[in-house]
Each structure stands twice: as C-alpha cells, then as structure tokens.
Amino acid sequence: RVAIAPSGTMGKATEEDVKRREDLVARFKAINLDEKTALNAVRNNKFSRNLSSIIDEAGVREGCDRKYGNLLYTTASKFPPNALVHRPVLLRSIMNDELKSISQLDGCFEYLKGVGEEPLDSESFRRSGGIGVTVLEEDIDAALQKVIDGEGERLITERYTCVNPLLPKLKAIGNMRWADQKLLKAKFDAKILEILGPKTEADMAKGAQKKKEKKSKQKAAAAAEAEKLKTSAADEPPADPYAFLPKPSENNVVHTTVNFSDGHIMRIANTKEELEKHLAETGGKVMTRFPPEPNGYLHIGHAKAMFVDFGMAKRYDGLCCLRFDDTNPAAEKTEYIDHIKEIVAWMGWEPYRITYSSDYFDELHALAVKLIESGHAYVDHQTGDEIAEYRALKKDSPWRDRPIAESLKLFEDMRLGLVDEGKATLRMKMDMRNDNFNMYDLIAYRIKFSRHPHAGDKWCIYPSYDFTHCIVDSLEKISHSLCTLEFEPRRASYYWLLEVLGLYKPLVWEYSRLNVTNSVMSKRKLNALVTDGHVNGWDDPRLLTLAGLRRRGATPESINNFCKDVGITRNANDIPVHKLEHHIRGHLDEVAERRMGVLRPLKVTITNHPEGEVEVVKAKVFPGRSDSTYDAPLTRVIYVEHSDFREKDSKNYFGLAPGKTVMLRYGFAIKCLGFRKEGDDVVELTCERVEVAKPPKGVIHWVAAGHGAHAPVEAEVRLYGNLFKSENVAEVEDWLADIDPESLEVVHGALLTPEFRKAKVGDKFQMERVGYFCLDRDSTDAKFVLNRTCSLKESV
C-alpha cells in the first residue's frame, strides 16, 4: 500500500484514510487516467471529491474509455462553479459523443459561466461548444488555402521562420476550432512541407539566428524593466493582495457544496435577484467588517485582521464597519469594548460605523422562529455532555423530531424566562451524520440569565456565534467576509443557514492566522498570564497585545508594515519575532528623536576642565538628516557607559582604556589617565581633555553631572526580552514553565540628558549607541521610567 497524503493535511493517515485514497486511485484509473495523474488528483481533497461526483453523474462508475476520461478530468478542473446545476447537461453531451475535444469544452465553459443558475438555452449551449458542427477534410483544406493565399509571399521569403504564427490563424477561421485538431495539424504540416520542402541548412541557421536575436531582445527588455523598477519603485503603488477575490458584482458563484449523508447535495450560491438587490443597496461597493468579540484585549493577530478587513475596503474605496460580536454576556465587558474602539483608532483605521451583533437581537429572534417554522430547528433538552456524546456517535437527539408547534411554544417559554438555564437549547436541524462535524445540529440559542453589557436585561436567551455571525454579515450587506483558516470548516454551516433562511450570501475567504515566535495569541492563555499575575496587566510590554506593543514603544505604522510584509495568504507558519522588531526599528529610525543617556553610569573626572564651568554643546536631534539640535551641558564630571571602559586595551576595541583617547559625542577628545576601584569594581576614571590632529576612531556617548537645569535626569530603565524561551510555545507541554524569568531586567540609576525633562508619556527616542526607548506611564516628576522598545541592531 502507498499512503497518499492529501494537500493541506497534517499528521499520519489512518488505515481508513489510506484505504479510501487507494479506492479513489483505482476509480480514477478506471476512467483511464494514467497513474501519476490519478495520484495527483487524490492528493487534492476538493478536486478528488469533485471528480468522483462527476464520475457518478456521468454513470461511469465501472470505468470508461480514455477519450471520455480525459474530458471528465477537464470538466472537474474547469467547470464554472456558479453553473453546477447545468453540469449534468454537459456530462450527457460528453457521454453521447457530442462534445469530443477540450476546445469544445472550453467553449461550453465560457457560455455556462455567463449563464450561472439561470435557465439554459439549448441552442446557445450547443452553438458555444460546436455541437452538431461537422468539419470535413475539404473544409480544412479550404481554410488552409485561405491562410496560404494571405501569407504566401511572406512564406516564400521568410520560409520556416514565419510558420509558427500561421497555425493559430488557421484555427481562428470559421469552425476550425471544432475540427479534429490532430488532422488539422497534420494537414498544416503537410502543406508547409509541400510548399517549402524539407528544412535546409540555411533554414536551420536562420532559425538559430532568430532565436539568438529573440533572446537578446528579451534580455535587453528585462534589463530595461529592471532599471525602470529600480528608479520608480518608490512611486509604484503596492501590489494588490486582494486581486484574486471576486468583485461584489461577481458574487453569484457557488460558495460551497454541502454533501449530505443521505446523498443529496446542496450547492449554495446567490440567485440573480439576490445579487442584483445587494448591488442596488450597496452601490456595488466592497463592504467588509472587523468583528472582534469583546472578551479581552486585542493582540497582533487582530492587527493583521484589521489590515485585511479595513485594508481591502480602503483599497477599493469601500466601507468597513467595526462590529462587536457580543453574543456571550458572561465573558464580555464594557472595558474591552472601550479598549477595542480606542485601539482601532490608534492603529489608524476609521470604521464607517460601529455596530453590535446585539443590535440585531430582535431580527435574529424572528429568524430563529422562522427556522423552527420551516422545520430546520428544534428545542432540545440534552445537556452539554449528552450533546457531545451524541455527536461523537453521530446520533440524533431524542427531541430532534418533536412537533414544530411544540418547539415554537418551548422557544417562547425560553424567551420569557420560564425555563431554567441549562435545561433547553434551540438547535439547528442540519445533518448529524455529515462528514463535517460543523453540520452536527449546531446550537442556535441558549439560556443565560446574565445582564448584557450593551443590550441590558431585555434578553435571557442569547444566539450562538454560529447562528449570529453569518446572519449579521448578511443583514449588514457585507460583500466579503474575511476570517482566519480555523473557521474554514464552518463554511458549510455558514452558507447552509443563509440558504434555508433565503438571505443574501457574502463571499467567505479564509487566510492564515498570524503566529509569532516566543509568544502566545490564545485569549485563554493571555487571560491566564494576566489574571494569575505572570505579567503586569494586559499592556505588559512583553505581551504581543496591541496595548503591550504600544506601551513598549511600537508605532501603529510599524505594526501595519509588518502585517503588510507578512502578507495575506493561506500558508500557515510562525513568523520570527525579529521580523516584527525589524519593522519597529525601521519606523523608529525615521521618527524617534536622538538623545543621550547612560544605563550603567561610570564617573569620569576631566582634570583639566575648570571646576564649576558648564560648556553647552549642540547635540543633533537627527544626525545627518536635520540641522535641529538640543542643548547638552558638559562639565568637569561626566558619566559614561560602564561597558565603554576596559582596564586593558585590545585590538578592535574603541572605548576608553588607560592611556587611550576617545571622542565625546558632540564634544571633544579625552584621554584616560587612570582609574579607581572599590573591591573588584571600577568606580571612577580620571581623564584629561586633549587636542588631536585627527579624531580617534572611538566615539562614546555621555551625560554630564550638574545642578539645576543642567542636572541629569535619573531614570529606571526596563529592558524587555521575549516572554517565552521556546520559539513554538504551542508545542511546550507546560507552557507556563517556559516563561523566561529574565525576560524583564530593571536597571536603576540610569542617567539622561536634561532635555529628557520635556518628554511626555509615550514619547519615543533613540538613545544613541544604546537602543530605542519610550517614556512609560509609570513615570512621575520624581522618577522617569523608560521602556526599551528594541535594540539598535537586529540580533537573530
């Protein structure tokens, strides 16, 4: 046996999976596909299901001739999904030998794509595929002669170098696209040979020369294009990451196919009337939504979702709303709602309106009643454990077939608060034996005697996410419902519900969620870190919550640039955290003003600098980019970074050492005369100011001692690292034990230049030669607190 791993799957295949795939390979080989093609077909689950269905519909379960098999394979690959209702017509035409070639199929596909689910015009269908058209040999001869007559002079002159373009011209004449293509090509080749005779050495040389010239032209064109891109890249708009998605006007394709356990198939698409109504109501605009649940603080994964949802609307001049999916009052808080509004604005996004799923509770209740009345929902009394057990067994609830009137009465009792919490739910009547567990009679409503943070005390029954999300998407006239890949299995239930309720169906597309190394994104884990005191709140700078990133000093521009760089794909992977830091560092380099500060001060006395004299030097705000400066006092006593002194000099070391000279940044040169130690620690250097003909290579930063306005600012500096030691925290069994106890180092007694006194909370700076920092909200007039955002250089 050969285990065939399907695309998009992980883990080892079970014996049952292997057997099923072997059966499919055998089935595909029975229609005379070669083994390689059959194996490739099985690796794609969606395609293999499609081809298997086509084999059944065509009535060739026991196999067929290769000429039919190839056409069925092409049909599985190319048939327009918005016209699946007409597929049986096409399959009959294949099996009745009316459609015999790929070109005929392509003609039919083009026609059917335009028709969609509308009634089929038999004559137009037959004409589009050349059905009934007979192309005789004399017809081919006549068309071929027409081409030769038009190109004869050129053919004689240029000989074989002009032959290749002639064949497409022949195929474009009259009904030649429906001719036997092998016969047509054979006649074409014979006619050319008759006119020109066999290729001569001169023909061969011309061909080689033409290829060489073509290659040279292509190389020159490529070089010109590269130069064009090089000179105009800054002005070019970014590539459209949404280009592959259908436009709102094209939203009549089949969104999904639901295969039911009883054998019937539901192919779900908008009707022509539904699409026209939607386009009239929206003006054909792209309509998206960013739908967070207000049960926690947003993290960087939500930043990607915002970039996708708001970004698509912005690109196409559409609209994006901020919608709170607030269907679980027990987990939601006004605090989270306020935070989400504020952080969306901070990220630079402006929703065209703010809505709540709870705004639609009346409409949702009415649609739930409609669902019961149509026989698609029932009131159930199973407990949560019983529901899970029955789902595992693919077994119907004992109350699944209760009378409609009884379910209506009980649902009303639930609404009135006459049924205890946990004693009843409303479940959708879907398919308990479906291959997709999201079709196992999902819960639509449950009882919760909890006050809702937005809706108040009006309701004691609340709709589930599975019931609410798709309906509100439709009610808000969303054109593109974009979400992460873990929601892909819900696509069937999403569209099933909209179909049975007769509502407009948005286009759903899933992309990979954002995972960043050395961090967690799960709200459950984030909540545990915060509530159990492992971190200092939701905005702890070690967390990848957006509040944490902001407090650390990241800018919204850098986060959005990171999301853009990561891209919008379905490929799941872990993004290295240094890639995020790269974008943060890049933007801070542009906007963060430069200052000087020393984290671990080492006292330096400049012996030949007059006592009490203050020399004010002009330090650059943006060295090399701007003439703006700030004042930095320089006195007899200064402080340098402890790491900028060594007791013994060495090669390629450019700091201070006994007898060595360095430049003070923006100041003058000093030479180290000696040092004083207390125990093993160097506590003071003695230096002198010196004149130098050529500035030394070593340049160090410093902060001067002083009084009053010239006094340095004393600060606490918090140096943040990765919260977790492991890159992939999800694979760690005891994830809390993986927290790095050294992820936060607090440095006391750092000294900053007096200019720092003007800083406000949130201001960002580059401390020259040290890193990027921002002023933390814990700062007071008496104590400054700086958070290190990232280092100056990338370290992987």
Side-chain angles (χ1 to χ4, degrees), residues 254-296:
V254 171
H255 291 300
T256 196
T257 299
V258 182
N259 296 290
F260 286 85
S261 57
D262 64 2
H264 87 276
I265 298 172
M266 182 185 281
R267 295 187 178 93
I268 301 172
N270 287 310
T271 63
K272 181 180 179 182
E273 293 73 22
E274 286 171 340
L275 179 58
E276 288 176 350
K277 181 173 182 286
H278 171 82
L279 295 175
E281 291 171 338
T282 63
K285 279 184 173 290
V286 166
M287 307 283 285
T288 62
R289 79 288 175 272
F290 172 57
E293 185 179 354
N295 63 353

Side-chain angles (χ1 to χ4, degrees), residues 372-423:
I372 298 171
E373 290 173 340
S374 65
H376 289 103
Y378 61 96
V379 172
D380 188 31
H381 300 290
Q382 288 185 301
T383 65
D385 289 341
E386 288 170 340
I387 290 174
E389 179 187 348
Y390 274 53
R391 280 178 172 165
L393 297 171
K394 295 190 175 185
K395 185 177 175 183
D396 290 345
S397 163
W399 289 279
R400 194 175 198 266
D401 295 319
R402 74 188 327 158
I404 289 174
E406 192 175 301
S407 282
L408 287 169
K409 173 66 169 61
L410 285 166
F411 189 52
E412 179 64 6
D413 289 346
M414 290 167 61
R415 186 187 72 82
L416 294 173
L418 302 177
V419 182
D420 291 338
E421 191 168 328
K423 296 297 182 183

Side-chain angles (χ1 to χ4, degrees), residues 291-298 302 323-329 331-332 336 340 446 465 523:
E293 185 179 354
N295 63 353
Y297 278 54
L298 301 187
H302 294 102
R323 182 209 303 156
F324 291 100
D325 261 347
D326 57 342
T327 59
N328 184 7
E332 293 149 8
Y336 299 142
I340 291 169
R446 68 275 200 222
Y465 171 89
K523 280 189 178 179

